């Protein structure tokens, strides 16, 4: 297995399949409709424009096992050192530790880019994702009750954060 930066041309289809499985079968994404290749093209363009990496974990045959990324938390200048991240594992590869490897990669990458805070918005009923984040030092920082509605029920959105030692010299502006 190895990490690599994902690209639209080579990885969008595999990422789209993982996203759409999560949309249709889980509360990992508070979306109703599957994404399209056009939305993936825009998603990659936004990541590129913001200098936000999309990391993929692939097996020896080049099959995408998991991916993760981060992006803008809030679009105001003072939040420039905070990013919201996400980790997704192929449904047939869950429970094998790939989510943990991906989260480690995102933490390392965010630190190298000088971010200070990683934020995860997790459906409060997703105990495996919460446990994964706690294992890596994330702490619960609040829950918004009934933030979403999906599968005929209200969903609570829990926030977990990890504070990094970076950047060495933060600046205003």
């Amino acid at each position: 297995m190895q990490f690599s930066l994902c690209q639209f041309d080579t990885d969008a289809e595999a990422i789209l399949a993982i996203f759409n499985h999560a949309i249709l079968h889980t509360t990992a994404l508070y979306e109703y409709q599957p994404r399209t290749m056009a939305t993936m093209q825009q998603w990659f363009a936004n990541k590129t424009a913001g200098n936000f990496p999309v990391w993929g974990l692939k097996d020896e045959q080049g099959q995408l096992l998991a991916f993760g990324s981060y992006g803008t938390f809030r679009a105001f200048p003072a939040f420039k050192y905070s990013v919201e991240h996400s980790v997704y594992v192929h449904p047939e590869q869950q429970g094998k530790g790939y989510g943990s490897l991906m989260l480690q990669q995102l933490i390392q990458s965010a630190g190298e880019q000088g971010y200070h805070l990683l934020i995860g918005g997790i459906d409060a009923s997703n105990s495996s994702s919460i446990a994964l984040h706690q294992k890596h030092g994330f702490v619960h920082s609040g829950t918004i009750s009934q933030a979403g509605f999906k599968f005929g029920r209200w969903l609570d959105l829990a926030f977990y954060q990890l504070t990094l030692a970076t950047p060495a010299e933060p600046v205003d502006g």
Side-chain angles (χ1 to χ4, degrees):
M1 289 176 294
Q2 70 177 29
F3 286 104
S4 62
L5 289 170
C6 293
Q7 304 296 321
F8 176 78
D9 294 340
T10 56
D11 301 300
E13 191 173 313
I15 290 173
L16 180 63
I18 294 170
F19 268 145
N20 285 341
H21 181 273
I23 290 168
L24 294 173
H25 302 286
T26 77
T27 56
L29 286 161
Y30 287 13
E31 296 180 44
Y32 299 123
Q33 299 301 317
R35 293 183 181 183
T36 65
M37 196 54 74
T39 60
M40 288 306 303
Q41 189 169 19
Q42 186 61 53
W43 185 79
F44 268 97
N46 292 343
K47 295 294 182 183
T48 300
N51 196 30
F52 299 126
V54 179
W55 287 101
L57 178 62
K58 298 180 180 181
D59 65 15
E60 295 76 22
Q61 291 75 41
Q63 169 130 9
L64 187 69
L65 305 171
F67 74 94
S69 187
Y70 45 81
T72 303
F73 171 63
R74 296 197 65 185
F76 299 100
F79 289 102
K80 67 183 173 184
Y81 296 117
S82 299
V83 289
E84 185 172 1
H85 71 280
S86 56
V87 171
Y88 295 93
V89 178
H90 189 285
E92 295 174 6
Q93 303 298 328
Q94 294 175 355
K96 299 179 181 179
Y98 300 145
S100 186
L101 291 172
M102 182 56 60
L103 188 54
Q104 289 173 351
Q105 179 67 26
L106 292 179
I107 293 167
Q108 178 183 329
S109 181
E112 289 171 356
Q113 285 191 291
Y115 291 109
H116 183 65
L117 193 66
L118 274 169
I119 302 160
I122 306 169
D123 184 74
S125 68
N126 190 341
S127 57
S128 60
S129 184
I130 290 170
L132 168 68
H133 282 78
Q134 290 174 329
K135 173 184 169 183
H136 290 281
F138 284 76
V139 296
H140 182 250
S141 55
T143 299
I144 301 173
S145 299
Q146 300 183 10
F149 187 83
K150 186 175 179 182
F151 299 137
R153 67 182 193 276
W154 289 108
L155 306 174
D156 298 340
L157 183 61
F159 287 95
Y160 283 79
Q161 70 178 61
L162 179 68
T163 305
L164 305 175
T166 52
E169 297 182 31
V171 295
D172 290 335

